[in-house]
Amino acid sequence: MSNKIVAKSMTKFFRFTADMFFRKRYGHRAIVLEAVAGVPGMVAGMLTHLSSLRGLRKGHGEKISEMLAEAENERQHLMFFMEVVKPTKLERGLIVLAQFIFWHYYLVMYIFAPRTAHLMIHYFEEEAVRSYTAYLKEIEAGHLENVPAPQVAIEYYNLLPEAKLSDMIQYIRRDEQHHADSNLTYSEIL
């Protein structure tokens, strides 16, 4: 089976699961998914770092830094949404379970098929862009309140003090597109 088929199949499975559980509860979806989204960058950065140490090579520093920065960026997204949406106890439990399962799944995948792992994250991030676009449309249509952006997001993105949720989501969507592009690049050069 090709890398592309495996990566797309896994993406469709995870997207279906998220769609069934959250439906149009975009803020709650973002909290759980952003808590899991920090895993790939941390795993890829950690394993690349360890590989560099084992091989006594200077190389890969840029990739290590970029993957760890991606993980931190996803954590920031989680912090933003924690201010907007208060997760339920069920969602907090789901975060622990999903992160535990996905950490181990992605760790094994990255060890044995790093190209497929990066390609899958490329597709995941494209799905994130689609989800945030749908979230924006719901806000623009007036179906969801365009509340003020949290202060932590205003400071992180250097937004205007009167920035709204929709402004924050546009920046997050841009971040997710960057993650999609960088993971596609890494899948091609491996």
Side-chain angles (χ1 to χ4, degrees):
M1 205 183 288
S2 80
N3 294 334
K4 197 173 201 177
I5 292 170
V6 171
K8 278 194 174 192
S9 297
M10 294 311 303
T11 302
K12 285 180 182 182
F13 169 76
F14 287 117
R15 176 66 194 234
F16 174 78
T17 304
D19 287 347
M20 293 306 296
F21 189 81
F22 294 106
R23 307 237 182 250
K24 289 193 173 196
R25 295 173 42 231
Y26 292 104
H28 294 269
R29 172 199 290 274
I31 284 179
V32 174
L33 296 181
E34 293 293 354
V36 174
V39 169
M42 187 59 67
V43 168
M46 176 190 71
L47 290 178
T48 304
H49 173 75
L50 293 174
S51 174
S52 179
L53 294 174
R54 276 192 315 273
L56 306 172
R57 293 185 306 262
K58 291 183 193 176
H60 305 300
E62 182 179 299
K63 179 181 178 186
I64 294 166
S65 296
E66 184 165 4
M67 291 293 100
L68 295 178
E70 179 181 312
E72 172 58 18
N73 180 254
E74 299 289 11
R75 188 185 74 80
Q76 287 296 324
H77 296 169
L78 174 63
M79 297 301 108
F80 306 156
F81 282 107
M82 292 288 292
E83 297 290 322
V84 175
V85 179
K86 305 301 180 208
T88 66
K89 286 184 181 183
L90 174 64
E91 288 163 342
R92 288 177 182 269
L94 184 61
I95 286 168
V96 171
L97 179 64
Q99 195 177 69
F100 178 81
I101 291 169
F102 193 69
W103 170 269
H104 291 89
Y105 169 78
Y106 195 74
L107 179 66
V108 170
M109 177 181 257
Y110 203 88
I111 289 169
F112 294 106
R115 182 175 184 201
T116 303
H118 277 295
L119 191 56
M120 183 179 74
I121 299 309
H122 162 72
Y123 293 133
F124 277 17
E125 297 293 1
E126 284 186 335
E127 288 298 328
V129 170
R130 285 186 195 91
S131 290
Y132 284 121
T133 299
Y135 196 177
L136 276 172
K137 285 180 182 176
E138 290 293 313
I139 292 169
E140 290 165 357
H143 300 137
L144 296 172
E145 187 179 356
N146 196 12
V147 298
Q151 188 61 37
V152 66
I154 290 171
E155 291 169 7
Y156 185 79
Y157 288 121
N158 198 26
L159 300 173
L160 296 174
E162 62 274 5
K164 296 289 194 176
L165 176 62
S166 59
D167 301 313
M168 179 186 86
I169 291 171
Q170 289 176 34
Y171 276 86
I172 291 172
R173 185 175 61 179
R174 192 175 307 147
D175 289 345
E176 303 296 7
Q177 186 61 59
H178 173 73
H179 301 326
D181 296 342
S182 65
N183 276 281
L184 179 60
T185 298
Y186 286 125
S187 77
E188 292 170 347
I189 63 175
L190 282 172

Coordinates of all heavy atoms in Angstrom, one line a residue, residues 3 7 109-110 112-121 183 186-190:
N3 N 2.3 5.1 0.6 CA 2.3 6.1 1.7 C 1.1 7.0 1.6 O 0.5 7.3 2.6 CB 3.6 7.0 1.6 CG 4.8 6.2 1.8 OD1 4.8 5.2 2.5 ND2 5.9 6.7 1.3
A7 N -1.7 7.4 4.5 CA -1.9 8.7 5.1 C -3.3 9.2 5.0 O -3.9 9.7 5.9 CB -0.9 9.6 4.6
M109 N 4.6 4.9 14.2 CA 4.6 5.2 12.7 C 5.8 6.0 12.3 O 6.4 5.7 11.3 CB 3.3 6.0 12.4 CG 3.3 6.5 11.0 SD 1.8 7.4 10.6 CE 0.8 6.2 9.8
Y110 N 6.3 6.9 13.1 CA 7.4 7.7 12.8 C 8.7 6.9 12.8 O 9.6 7.1 12.0 CB 7.6 8.9 13.7 CG 8.4 10.0 13.1 CD1 7.7 11.0 12.3 CD2 9.7 10.1 13.2 CE1 8.4 12.0 11.6 CE2 10.5 11.1 12.6 CZ 9.8 12.0 11.8 OH 10.5 13.0 11.1
F112 N 9.0 3.7 12.0 CA 9.0 2.7 10.9 C 8.7 3.4 9.5 O 9.0 2.8 8.5 CB 8.1 1.6 11.2 CG 8.5 0.7 12.3 CD1 7.9 0.8 13.5 CD2 9.6 -0.1 12.2 CE1 8.4 0.0 14.6 CE2 10.1 -0.9 13.2 CZ 9.5 -0.8 14.4
A113 N 7.9 4.5 9.5 CA 7.5 5.1 8.3 C 7.4 6.6 8.4 O 6.4 7.2 8.3 CB 6.2 4.5 7.8
P114 N 8.6 7.3 8.6 CA 8.6 8.7 8.8 C 8.0 9.5 7.7 O 7.3 10.5 7.9 CB 10.0 9.1 9.1 CG 10.8 7.9 8.5 CD 10.0 6.7 8.6
R115 N 8.2 9.0 6.5 CA 7.6 9.7 5.3 C 6.1 9.7 5.4 O 5.4 10.7 5.2 CB 8.1 9.1 4.0 CG 7.6 9.8 2.8 CD 8.3 9.2 1.5 NE 7.8 10.0 0.4 CZ 7.8 9.6 -0.8 NH1 8.3 8.4 -1.1 NH2 7.4 10.4 -1.8
T116 N 5.6 8.5 5.6 CA 4.1 8.4 5.7 C 3.6 9.2 6.9 O 2.5 9.8 6.8 CB 3.7 6.9 5.9 OG1 4.2 6.2 4.8 CG2 2.2 6.7 6.0
A117 N 4.3 9.2 8.0 CA 3.9 10.0 9.2 C 3.8 11.5 8.8 O 2.8 12.2 9.2 CB 4.9 9.8 10.3
H118 N 4.8 12.0 8.2 CA 4.8 13.5 7.8 C 3.6 13.7 6.8 O 3.0 14.7 6.8 CB 6.1 13.9 7.2 CG 7.1 14.3 8.2 ND1 7.0 15.4 9.0 CD2 8.3 13.7 8.5 CE1 8.1 15.4 9.8 NE2 8.9 14.4 9.5
L119 N 3.4 12.8 5.9 CA 2.4 13.0 4.9 C 1.0 12.9 5.5 O 0.1 13.7 5.2 CB 2.5 11.9 3.8 CG 1.6 12.0 2.6 CD1 1.9 13.3 1.9 CD2 1.8 10.9 1.6
M120 N 0.8 12.1 6.5 CA -0.4 12.0 7.3 C -0.7 13.4 8.0 O -1.8 13.9 7.9 CB -0.4 10.9 8.3 CG -1.8 10.7 9.0 SD -1.8 9.4 10.2 CE -0.7 10.0 11.5
I121 N 0.4 13.9 8.6 CA 0.2 15.2 9.3 C -0.1 16.3 8.3 O -0.9 17.2 8.5 CB 1.4 15.5 10.2 CG1 1.6 14.4 11.2 CG2 1.3 16.9 10.8 CD1 0.3 14.1 12.0
N183 N 5.1 19.8 6.6 CA 5.1 18.4 6.7 C 5.1 17.7 5.3 O 5.7 16.7 5.1 CB 3.9 17.9 7.5 CG 4.2 17.9 9.0 OD1 4.9 17.0 9.5 ND2 3.8 19.0 9.7
Y186 N 8.8 17.8 4.3 CA 9.6 16.7 4.9 C 9.2 15.3 4.4 O 10.1 14.5 4.3 CB 9.4 16.8 6.4 CG 10.1 17.9 7.0 CD1 9.5 18.9 7.8 CD2 11.5 18.1 6.8 CE1 10.2 19.9 8.4 CE2 12.2 19.2 7.3 CZ 11.5 20.1 8.1 OH 12.2 21.2 8.6
S187 N 7.9 15.1 4.0 CA 7.6 13.8 3.5 C 8.2 13.6 2.1 O 8.5 12.4 1.8 CB 6.0 13.7 3.4 OG 5.6 14.4 2.2
E188 N 8.5 14.6 1.4 CA 9.1 14.5 0.1 C 10.6 14.4 0.1 O 11.2 13.8 -0.8 CB 8.7 15.7 -0.8 CG 7.3 15.8 -1.2 CD 6.8 17.1 -1.8 OE1 7.6 18.1 -1.7 OE2 5.7 17.1 -2.3
I189 N 11.3 14.9 1.1 CA 12.7 14.9 1.2 C 13.2 13.7 2.0 O 14.4 13.4 1.9 CB 13.3 16.2 1.8 CG1 12.9 16.4 3.2 CG2 13.0 17.3 0.9 CD1 13.6 17.6 3.8
L190 N 12.4 13.0 2.7 CA 12.8 11.8 3.4 C 13.1 10.6 2.4 O 12.4 10.4 1.5 CB 11.8 11.3 4.4 CG 11.8 12.2 5.7 CD1 10.6 11.8 6.6 CD2 13.0 12.0 6.5

